[in-house]
Amino acid sequence: MTLTLTVLGGSAAWPNPGQGCSAYLVEDGTTKVLLDCGPNTLLELRKHVDYTKLDAIVISHCHSDHILDLVPYRYGLIYGPGNSSLRIPVWLPPGGRERMEMLGGAFAGQGEPHASFWEPAFEMEEYDPAAGLTIGRLRISFAATQHYVECFAMRVDGPENRTLFYSSDTGSVQPLIGLVQGAEVVIAEATLDQSDDKPEAERGHMTPEDAGRLADAAGAHTLIVTHLWSERPDNVVEKTVSEHFRGRILIAKPGLRVDA
Ligand SMILES: [Zn+2]
Ligand SMILES: [Zn+2]
């Protein structure tokens, strides 16, 4: 039994040409979970899976590049042909419900309570990062990252000890070292250039060097580098990462599939 990851986006804060932002589909043959739901990623999701059949969506943090496609997803679940009674569980970080109600309020009908925008499509709950989540046969554990808002990296443990790790957005490798160990596939962001001269303690994003160090600490066989600007050539990112990680290095692209 494999644990398969499908990249649905991979852009940084806004979509690159032909590429949406953060969203990663994880499947173990039975359970299907979406990690984040950034803008312009539903169009890729729908190529790979029946969008009505996800077991859950887990959100790392409430920045727009990680949540915005929940809006069209909501419309699809309610108004898509034959979908009237579907509700997909959406697990949010602590404080996420209030943020999502504010977002829903912008689209809710006149006089409608803000929370009611999401209710027909999603069961929104906040996870307890210390307790983690069990979704089908997948176990999801969290570690708080260093970011501009509260944000959580995720480790997904599947059947037969298959494990993958998603850094979400973080300015430092350090808070993730404990959780990443043993992950076979690491998805790590590398938004900043090497030339960024901010001290690590003040960053909200990592560099390619950091992504390589994180995958190396995990002992991973594969690193998927993500949350990238298209203006920076892939081979420049790959070269820097390869100085810090000796396993397989892939650049996140929509439709890229990797087994843990
Ligand atoms: Zn962010
Ligand atoms: Zn982001």
Side-chain angles (χ1 to χ4, degrees):
M1 188 59 64
T2 55
L3 190 61
T4 303
L5 169 82
T6 307
V7 176
L8 305 179
S11 305
W14 71 332
N16 292 328
Q19 179 183 34
C21 293
S22 293
Y24 306 91
L25 176 66
V26 180
E27 300 169 274
D28 73 351
T30 306
T31 311
K32 297 173 171 51
V33 174
L34 182 62
L35 309 183
D36 284 341
C37 192
N40 296 302
T41 58
L42 268 187
L43 54 86
E44 188 65 33
L45 177 82
R46 296 189 64 187
K47 294 181 188 171
H48 301 280
V49 71
D50 179 344
Y51 73 103
T52 67
K53 298 279 192 312
L54 285 189
D55 293 284
I57 301 168
V58 186
I59 299 295
S60 66
H61 67 302
C62 289
H63 273 163
S64 65
D65 55 323
H66 296 253
I67 59 170
L68 270 191
D69 260 15
L70 288 172
V71 175
Y73 206 150
R74 177 261 189 204
Y75 286 99
L77 287 168
I78 297 171
Y79 301 114
N83 293 350
S84 57
S85 62
L86 293 165
R87 290 182 86 213
I88 292 178
V90 176
W91 289 98
L92 300 164
R97 274 186 68 99
E98 190 183 350
R99 300 286 303 236
M100 293 308 295
E101 283 177 18
M102 287 164 63
L103 178 63
F107 300 106
Q110 236 178 359
E112 235 183 331
H114 289 183
S116 67
F117 175 76
W118 300 110
E119 274 172 9
F122 297 124
E123 292 174 48
M124 287 192 168
E125 299 281 349
E126 295 178 3
Y127 51 78
D128 173 358
L133 290 171
T134 299
I135 301 166
R137 297 188 303 177
L138 304 180
R139 176 78 195 146
I140 302 183
S141 311
F142 300 93
T145 74
Q146 176 181 304
H147 197 43
Y148 306 113
V149 297
E150 203 171 20
C151 176
F152 294 90
M154 303 177 204
R155 175 192 178 101
V156 182
D157 287 286
E160 299 176 16
N161 298 320
R162 304 292 180 188
T163 302
L164 59 87
F165 186 90
Y166 166 44
S167 72
S168 186
D169 291 1
T170 185
S172 174
V173 168
Q174 222 43 51
L176 314 183
I177 291 292
L179 195 64
V180 81
Q181 312 248 341
E184 294 161 297
V185 174
V186 170
I187 313 157
E189 69 120 312
T191 314
L192 299 182
D193 285 328
Q194 288 302 104
S195 57
D196 184 272
D197 57 5
K198 263 192 198 165
E200 187 169 316
E202 294 171 22
R203 290 186 208 150
H205 289 289
M206 295 202 296
T207 64
E209 177 183 337
D210 295 327
R213 285 168 48 213
L214 184 66
D216 184 59
H221 62 65
T222 302
L223 166 62
I224 300 169
V225 190
T226 193
H227 211 279
L228 299 170
W229 309 104
S230 61
E231 287 78 3
R232 186 171 44 172
D234 290 351
N235 61 355
V236 171
V237 175
E238 278 167 349
K239 184 171 180 307
T240 308
V241 172
S242 68
E243 289 162 13
H244 303 274
F245 175 63
R246 296 188 165 207
R248 180 168 62 150
I249 299 162
L250 302 170
I251 301 294
K253 299 288 176 196
L256 174 67
R257 282 168 75 86
V258 174
D259 290 336

